[in-house]
Amino acid sequence: MVKCNPMIRLLELAGKPFIIAVEEAGRIMLLLMSATIWMFRAPFRFQLIFKQMEFVGVNSIFVVLITGAFTGMVFALQSYHGFRLFGGESLVGSTVALGMTRELGPVFTALMVTGRVGSAMTAEIGTMKVTEQIDALHTMSVNPIHYLVMPRIVAAILMLPVLTVVSDFIGILGGYFVGVELLKINSGIFVAKIVEYVELEDIFNGLIKAACFGLILSLIGCYKGINTAGGAEGVGKATTQSVVLSSITIFISDYFLTSFMF
Amino acid sequence: MIELIKICKSFKGQKVLDNLDLKIEPEKITVIIGRSGGGKSVLLKHIIGLIKPDSGQVLVDGIDTAKLNDKELNETRKVFGMLFQDAALFDSMTVGENVAFPLKEHTKLSKKEIDKIVEEKLLEVGLKNVTHKMPSELSGGMRKRVGLARAIALNPKIVLFDEPTTGLDPIMCESIDKLIINTQRSTRATFVVISHDIGSTFKIAHKVAMLYEGKIIKTGTPEEIRSSNNPVIKQFINRETAKACQN
């Protein structure tokens, strides 16, 4: 029998999670490839896409409004206390607007939608998997990626930027309310500084980020759902993994997108 | 006709099907019996191409489905209908939408025509006024009936049944048996049923095949199976019959 070098064994053990992660990333990319191909194949599933757009977008508006408004408000409050130290209160408006459009709007919207929609995608598809509904689709000559995955990905890519616009707007409005109404910053200066510092590119790049986050959360949500195994417990595990993995991937990709865009 | 030739399938090193050969006669009810966990569902999933064999051929009307790509396999599957163990109804759709699903996907019929077929198919399986109900509102037996209505919606040439009577009470089992016999008579389709319910098997089967340790060890009419001297078959039949008597 060949004696195993403990160092090699240790390296094997340390490398195993890395190999699993790379394999999983590969499978996620294959799913994306397949969903992309199905996007351009008939029958075009507009009805399913619209239904998912309603679920991802319209039904998330309330959550996004609350998150966006309070993010803008607390950001205005914190930045006001910081800027006051050196008399820079006039910059609160532009700071809130830049923060919301570049970072907080897209990221917080994506995180909220991950919690609300990404988890639901995994749970719904995962339940279909463990109750053989996905096999039933196969037996009826309907491809589950075409029927279940593609509409969700398209809807999330389209709706995340829309939700982000809502979040940006309500966040700046929340910041205005705190800055102008509560902290008595001059409203003209507040608005003028926003106009002076915020460029269209800031908003546009934020929306591109949002679309990328939409792709990430829907792709991971569907991937985890389709690979669910082990009954109700499996669905629970897959849903948790989906939310955690999506959130982490959103933060990591946010860094790279930001360094590439701004 | 369906023919499985030298099918081998392993999962994580464990052999489930081992050089399995089976011919299924057209327009007949063939019941595949065997122990729970013995690979019956795996065998059924090979027939419809949900699982591909490690080696061997699955011939459906002379075409080896194991070698087809996804698009070709989807075409071949249009001759199949399948009733799953727990019916596998889409729980986000009503009963009517479930039965209409294959019709909407694969025909250009108008909504009115589809609704008419849905009504007919539901009547065929003995269900009335359930079109607007959700699957969660139905009993186990009713769900199976809806599953069968969906499976036969496109008038398939081959219908597969995965343990159709499991989890049902004896009266409901009897009614599902009758439903299978009557539906086969009216559609003249090839029915493949997997079951470990011996009573039900002898009632519905034209042919019975016994799966044991990954192989079909005997194929024959119910009488031939009943009078077989094979100790495994004898033991299986006697145990299952005893269980049925206890119930």
Side-chain angles (χ1 to χ4, degrees):
Chain A
M1 205 176 142
V2 182
K3 224 180 175 182
C4 193
N5 185 333
M7 195 60 198
I8 292 174
R9 184 93 189 99
L10 194 73
L11 281 171
E12 272 177 4
L13 278 175
K16 205 175 174 187
F18 179 72
I19 291 169
I20 292 170
V22 171
E23 277 176 357
E24 191 151 45
R27 281 196 290 267
I28 292 174
M29 284 301 125
L30 286 176
L31 179 65
L32 174 62
M33 223 167 73
S34 183
T36 310
I37 292 167
W38 277 110
M39 252 175 234
F40 304 102
R41 275 198 198 166
F44 300 104
R45 301 193 178 274
F46 294 116
Q47 207 182 341
L48 288 174
I49 293 172
F50 288 135
K51 198 177 154 197
Q52 286 303 320
M53 281 170 77
E54 185 194 359
F55 179 60
V56 177
V58 181
N59 297 353
S60 301
I61 288 263
F62 181 72
V63 180
V64 168
L65 279 175
I66 298 288
T67 321
F70 280 92
T71 305
M73 285 162 75
V74 80
F75 197 25
L77 201 61
Q78 288 284 17
S79 53
Y80 174 81
H81 291 306
F83 285 133
R84 201 176 51 173
L85 296 174
F86 56 90
E89 295 95 324
S90 61
L91 291 171
V92 168
S94 53
T95 308
V96 170
L98 278 174
M100 285 306 297
T101 53
R102 284 179 167 211
E103 283 301 326
L104 300 177
V107 173
F108 279 13
T109 302
L111 291 178
M112 293 315 290
V113 175
T114 298
R116 207 193 78 79
V117 174
S119 58
M121 284 177 182
T122 308
E124 192 180 347
I125 298 176
T127 306
M128 288 183 78
K129 173 80 189 301
V130 299
T131 55
E132 294 185 308
Q133 292 176 53
I134 289 186
D135 279 348
L137 278 175
H138 277 298
T139 63
M140 286 184 270
S141 302
V142 175
N143 187 297
I145 296 174
H146 192 198
Y147 191 80
L148 298 171
V149 178
M150 184 276 289
R152 283 169 169 80
I153 290 179
V154 173
I157 291 174
L158 293 177
M159 290 317 287
L160 257 285
V162 177
L163 290 171
T164 301
V165 168
V166 173
S167 173
D168 290 352
F169 177 74
I170 199 76
I172 295 169
L173 212 64
Y176 179 91
F177 173 75
V178 170
V180 175
E181 300 297 328
L182 302 183
L183 303 171
K184 306 298 176 199
I185 298 170
N186 182 287
S187 92
I189 293 174
F190 190 96
V191 176
K193 291 288 176 192
I194 293 177
V195 176
E196 189 182 338
Y197 286 108
V198 180
E199 289 173 15
L200 204 60
E201 202 189 336
D202 295 318
I203 301 169
F204 186 68
N205 285 345
L207 299 187
I208 291 177
K209 267 189 188 180
C212 294
F213 297 156
L215 170 67
I216 289 168
L217 73 90
S218 56
L219 185 62
I220 292 175
C222 293
Y223 169 79
K224 286 289 176 187
I226 272 189
N227 289 288
T228 302
E233 194 191 347
V235 175
K237 264 187 195 165
T239 308
T240 310
Q241 285 172 0
S242 159
V243 173
V244 172
L245 185 61
S246 296
S247 306
I248 290 172
T249 314
I250 284 168
F251 280 121
I252 294 172
S253 61
D254 183 40
Y255 173 79
F256 289 105
L257 286 168
T258 304
S259 59
F260 178 71
M261 285 173 171
F262 297 105
Chain B
M1 188 164 87
I2 303 166
E3 195 175 354
L4 293 103
I5 306 166
K6 303 239 171 290
I7 298 292
C8 290
K9 186 70 190 177
S10 302
F11 293 103
K12 291 181 182 169
Q14 195 187 344
K15 221 163 207 181
V16 179
L17 303 180
D18 182 12
N19 270 318
L20 178 141
D21 289 305
L22 176 66
K23 271 186 191 172
I24 290 164
E25 287 181 31
E27 299 184 18
K28 293 264 161 53
I29 301 177
T30 302
V31 182
I32 300 162
I33 54 172
R35 284 163 42 194
S36 297
K40 299 191 298 296
S41 291
V42 173
L43 172 57
L44 204 68
K45 286 179 179 177
H46 273 85
I47 295 175
I48 200 164
L50 287 174
I51 298 176
K52 292 209 172 187
D54 296 337
S55 63
Q57 290 178 296
V58 182
L59 302 177
V60 177
D61 291 334
I63 300 167
D64 185 1
T65 59
K67 290 200 172 74
L68 300 180
N69 62 32
D70 281 354
K71 205 176 170 189
E72 293 163 334
L73 198 55
N74 273 346
E75 278 308 307
T76 312
R77 279 188 188 133
K78 285 179 186 166
V79 302
F80 283 95
M82 181 161 173
L83 173 62
F84 287 84
Q85 196 167 337
D86 293 314
L89 299 178
F90 302 126
D91 41 25
S92 58
M93 295 181 191
T94 63
V95 166
E97 287 166 344
N98 263 286
V99 181
F101 185 82
L103 296 161
K104 279 184 186 163
E105 285 293 321
H106 300 300
T107 68
K108 289 193 165 75
L109 296 171
S110 67
K111 192 184 174 301
K112 212 173 163 188
E113 288 167 316
I114 288 177
D115 288 346
K116 195 171 163 250
I117 297 173
V118 168
E119 284 292 329
E120 281 170 12
K121 294 295 172 188
L122 285 171
L123 267 181
E124 219 170 290
V125 298
L127 291 173
K128 259 187 200 171
N129 303 325
V130 291
T131 321
H132 298 292
K133 286 196 172 175
M134 297 304 286
S136 56
E137 295 173 71
L138 305 177
S139 67
M142 284 167 93
R143 287 169 68 89
K144 295 215 174 178
R145 282 167 186 268
V146 176
L148 180 57
R150 185 177 70 180
I152 59 170
L154 286 170
N155 299 320
K157 274 165 61 184
I158 304 159
V159 186
L160 310 178
F161 295 78
D162 189 356
E163 311 241 6
T165 54
T166 299
L168 301 179
D169 63 69
I171 295 165
M172 192 51 78
C173 285
E174 178 94 28
S175 110
I176 294 285
D177 289 344
K178 276 184 191 160
L179 183 63
I180 291 173
I181 295 167
N182 293 339
T183 315
Q184 198 277 333
R185 268 189 203 141
S186 64
T187 58
R188 307 300 305 163
T190 306
F191 277 22
V192 184
V193 182
I194 61 166
S195 179
H196 58 244
D197 181 344
I198 275 296
S200 166
T201 300
F202 288 147
K203 251 178 247 165
I204 65 173
H206 295 124
K207 279 276 161 99
V208 181
M210 171 84 192
L211 177 68
Y212 181 71
E213 292 190 341
K215 288 183 171 70
I216 297 292
I217 55 167
K218 171 103 182 154
T219 312
T221 61
E223 289 70 35
E224 285 168 344
I225 294 290
R226 215 179 256 139
S227 56
S228 168
N229 286 323
N230 185 315
V232 175
I233 298 173
K234 266 186 152 174
Q235 190 195 15
F236 184 81
I237 293 173
N238 292 340
R239 280 194 73 148
E240 289 300 320
T241 313
K243 251 198 248 171
C245 291
Q246 278 170 6
N247 290 336

